[in-house]
Amino acid sequence: MNNNKPKIGLALGSGGARGLAHIGILKVLEKHDIKIDYIAGSSIGAIIGGFYASGSDVERIEKFALGANRRSIFSLIDLKLKCGLIGGKKIEELIDAKLKVKEFENCKIPFSAVATDLKTGEVVLFDKGDLTSAIRASISIPLVFKPMELDGRILADGGLSEPVPVKTVREMGADIVIAVNLDGYICSENWTSRWFVIADNSFSILRHHLALSGTRSADIVIDVGLGQDYWYEFINGRDKIEAGERVMEENIIRLQELIEKGVEEK
């Protein structure tokens, strides 16, 4: 082992189904024997990052993602219609079943999940205790999922406060931070005056600018250009995984140069 190797942190951003691109990112990093020392994830980034950090190999995660179909997705919907369309209990059970370990402390790679306190607007970081509840909190998209109540807080999607958790993974100890931004686009080009399109575009604009601000301190920013792929399109995710692979390959030489430079400086 090279003790002079800089520590590499991976900040996996929020973005719903576009986050399947994270799998492609991980595949390319493994292909080039680049070891990740820290992972922080927000929303879908917390799911993919949590699975990987807990010890699931990327092939297993990819198989699980590509196995999604309409029947399996609808089976996870437990309608509540109070504080959110989906209660989230079934999804929480699925996450728990797929994790290789159940506690942050037992992860193979140090991991943090990001959520948002709906009462205060604060970023809430999880790096200790139960993995499942932390990931469930991080994915709680407002109005879609019922918020998670935990330790007196009302917790919702991490993308509301830190859509790309660069600051978090840097503070974990990373020397080099790779930020995976799924909000590089601004909004849908298929503009209509329908209320839900206006609401979706408004939210996308806010996320775009928040993600742009958050990634400025990253060493490498991976902008996954998935454009109009909607956050809920989890079926047939191969194109999203391949998009992640392509853009990571485009940045791999730059990453290797940063690692080499870091070794020399140490």
Side-chain angles (χ1 to χ4, degrees):
M1 294 181 62
N2 187 348
N3 293 326
N4 291 327
K5 176 185 170 294
K7 299 294 184 182
I8 300 174
L10 188 59
L12 298 179
S14 59
R18 291 188 296 272
L20 297 180
H22 294 324
I23 298 171
I25 301 290
L26 291 168
K27 287 177 68 177
V28 171
L29 290 171
E30 284 198 354
K31 172 185 170 184
H32 292 276
D33 296 319
I34 294 174
K35 176 181 175 291
I36 298 301
D37 299 287
Y38 304 101
I39 300 175
S42 189
S43 198
I44 185 65
I47 294 181
I48 304 298
F51 285 171
Y52 192 71
S54 76
S56 290
D57 58 65
V58 70
E59 290 80 13
R60 184 171 182 261
I61 299 171
E62 181 179 35
K63 183 178 179 180
F64 168 62
L66 294 178
N69 54 47
R70 285 182 175 82
R71 177 178 292 181
S72 64
I73 289 174
F74 279 112
S75 71
L76 297 173
I77 297 175
D78 49 345
L79 294 177
K80 291 298 179 185
L81 303 181
K82 183 179 180 181
C83 300
L85 181 64
I86 300 172
K89 186 63 177 176
K90 291 184 178 180
I91 290 176
E92 190 172 341
E93 290 171 351
L94 177 65
I95 292 169
D96 191 68
K98 295 297 181 182
L99 287 168
K100 298 289 283 184
V101 300
K102 307 303 182 184
E103 305 287 328
F104 279 90
E105 291 83 353
N106 296 325
C107 284
K108 290 181 65 177
I109 302 170
F111 172 64
S112 292
V114 179
T116 305
D117 189 324
L118 278 181
K119 294 192 293 185
T120 67
E122 293 176 305
V123 177
V124 179
L125 301 179
F126 292 92
D127 59 8
K128 296 180 178 63
D130 185 60
L131 267 170
T132 301
S133 60
I135 294 171
R136 163 67 177 87
S138 184
I139 67 170
S140 298
I141 301 170
L143 303 181
V144 177
F145 288 97
K146 179 181 177 181
M148 184 90 170
E149 297 185 30
L150 192 65
D151 298 330
R153 292 181 181 268
I154 307 298
L155 300 173
D157 197 283
L160 295 172
S161 55
E162 197 178 10
V164 191
V166 171
K167 181 174 181 287
T168 294
V169 80
R170 181 79 74 185
E171 290 176 351
M172 290 171 73
D175 300 307
I176 297 172
V177 173
I178 306 165
V180 185
N181 182 15
L182 304 174
D183 288 306
Y185 74 104
I186 295 181
C187 55
S188 171
E189 296 174 4
N190 296 325
W191 168 257
T192 72
S193 59
R194 289 184 236 180
W195 69 267
F196 57 86
V197 174
I198 294 172
D200 185 53
N201 280 4
S202 299
F203 190 45
S204 295
I205 291 167
L206 290 171
R207 289 170 53 89
H208 167 78
H209 290 291
L210 187 56
L212 187 65
S213 175
T215 56
R216 282 181 182 144
S217 63
D219 298 284
I220 290 183
V221 179
I222 307 296
D223 282 310
V224 183
L226 288 170
Q228 299 175 51
D229 277 3
Y230 293 109
W231 63 266
Y232 52 81
E233 292 181 345
F234 284 93
I235 299 170
N236 301 322
R238 172 64 66 188
D239 60 330
K240 300 174 184 65
I241 294 173
E242 290 178 349
E245 290 182 73
R246 285 194 301 272
V247 72
M248 190 66 243
E249 285 285 6
E250 291 169 2
N251 285 272
I252 204 70
I253 292 176
R254 172 62 178 154
L255 176 57
Q256 290 169 333
E257 289 173 347
L258 286 174
I259 294 170
E260 182 79 19
K261 181 180 178 183
V263 170
E264 291 173 357
E265 290 178 351
K266 282 196 171 186

